[in-house]
Amino acid sequence: MLKVGLVGYGFAGATFHAPLIEGSGRASVAAIVTSQPERARADWPSARMLASYDDLLADPAITVVAIATPNDTHFDHAKRALDAGKHVVVDKPVTLNAAEARALAALAAQRGLLFAPFHNRRWDGDFLTVRALLASGVLGRVTYYESHFDRFRPDVRARWREEASRGGGLLYDLGPHLIDQALALFGAPQTVSATVTARRDNASADDFVHLVLGYAERDVVLHATVLAAAQTPRYLIHGTRGSYTKYGLDSQEDQLRAGLRPGDAGWGANPPGRLRTSDGTLELDGELTTLNGEYAAYYAAVADTIERGVPFPVTPDQAVDVMTVIELARASHEQGQRLPFERAATP
């Protein structure tokens, strides 16, 4: 069992990381650095509560540091952990810019350590379904892919996730998931164009994000807003032989919020999507079963990489590409034009 030190016990640490570490069956929450020790101790009585990050880094029993702190602290915390010889899991976004992500990737490579972005939505049930569907070729050549993360939260809340000064806003919050999923399916785009803005009254950080990633054979549209009271498609995909649509977000976040854990009855179950295909003579139109979500597989993959040398499914280079797209999205909005995607050299 890997011993994981968790840094931060706010929403991400308490709702996602701690339950999934324990739920993986391959790792345990050995220590938690938090300003809320009573809450964390009540949830994980076997974990040691630490007030200092330095104490965590100095503990030789801790193999992995999971960073679930505000976005503007990710780079410093991750660098210090790598310098201390710890493997690192960093919540999204891994940093606030591509240069910092490249620096962490290079440092991890130099030290032979894992630098793992927490892109857990690679294990959403609907994304697992989409990935399998595209690999099957049933849709033919994909010409259009649209992915939404839309919610209705019209009131601005007093929290760091909605403060631009702390790296808040939807582009940093949900953008990494949308972008990472698209890049996992199609690779790096040729171009990026975007609208990244605030639509709600008194919002300081962006709450409306619309990206178009340009490829030679398709356009990829990624969209997130907090002002969608009506249901919008989670996925809309068109190909030369058919189309796929899916409504509703993956269930695992809501299940974790409700206190459910991986392995509980109904864990990761999602409603079906709809698939319509044609080969020119035969048309099929009906429901397509959605695979169950598997968030606990994330930390199982961390264990496989550290203990067995299995390549981690989300590479440092992919984390850098996600941050590069985010930077280009902001620049595209500011300049009002489509921009070419180009990778900078890793230091």
Side-chain angles (χ1 to χ4, degrees), residues 9-252:
Y9 203 70
F11 173 70
T15 306
F16 286 96
H17 288 273
L20 298 181
I21 291 167
E22 293 283 345
S24 70
R26 304 285 302 281
S28 64
V29 180
I32 302 175
V33 180
T34 177
S35 59
Q36 306 178 74
E38 295 80 8
R39 177 191 177 200
R41 186 178 293 110
D43 292 341
W44 308 102
S46 64
R48 290 177 290 115
M49 298 299 128
L50 302 176
S52 166
Y53 189 37
D54 289 333
D55 291 342
L56 180 67
L57 297 181
D59 187 344
I62 299 298
T63 303
V64 183
V65 173
I67 298 168
T69 52
N71 295 344
D72 57 346
T73 68
H74 288 182
F75 174 75
D76 179 67
H77 283 347
K79 184 178 184 303
R80 290 177 62 192
L82 292 169
D83 282 334
K86 309 293 187 184
H87 301 282
V88 176
V89 170
V90 189
D91 208 295
K92 49 76 193 170
V94 291
T95 57
L96 294 184
N97 58 64
E100 290 179 342
R102 283 192 297 272
L104 292 178
L107 179 59
Q110 291 166 6
R111 295 183 174 272
L113 297 168
L114 175 64
F115 164 50
F118 189 61
H119 290 168
N120 60 300
R121 290 193 177 273
R122 293 261 189 115
W123 289 268
D124 278 359
D126 46 20
F127 179 70
L128 293 173
T129 304
V130 166
R131 197 165 199 172
L133 178 63
L134 268 57
S136 75
V138 169
L139 295 181
R141 177 171 52 83
V142 174
T143 59
Y144 182 80
Y145 169 96
E146 186 171 334
S147 175
H148 284 243
F149 250 112
D150 297 340
R151 293 165 169 162
F152 189 60
R153 297 176 179 175
D155 298 321
V156 178
R157 296 168 58 188
R159 56 177 190 159
W160 68 261
R161 291 182 185 277
E162 301 196 42
E163 296 176 15
S165 62
R166 301 298 306 276
L170 281 190
L171 185 59
Y172 279 140
D173 188 25
L174 298 178
H177 290 315
L178 291 166
I179 295 165
D180 176 67
Q181 288 183 341
L183 269 55
L185 294 173
F186 306 116
Q190 295 173 340
T191 60
V192 177
S193 60
T195 299
V196 182
T197 190
R199 300 294 196 200
R200 293 177 298 175
D201 296 335
N202 303 315
S204 69
D206 53 87
D207 56 21
F208 178 93
V209 174
H210 187 86
L211 280 71
V212 179
L213 308 184
Y215 295 82
E217 293 187 329
R218 69 187 59 90
D219 281 311
V220 169
V221 175
L222 309 176
H223 187 90
T225 180
V226 293
L227 290 177
Q231 190 178 39
T232 55
R234 173 67 182 90
Y235 290 103
L236 174 61
I237 306 173
H238 300 309
T240 55
R241 295 183 59 189
S243 296
Y244 170 80
T245 54
K246 168 69 169 58
Y247 285 83
L249 296 175
D250 179 86
S251 64
Q252 292 172 97

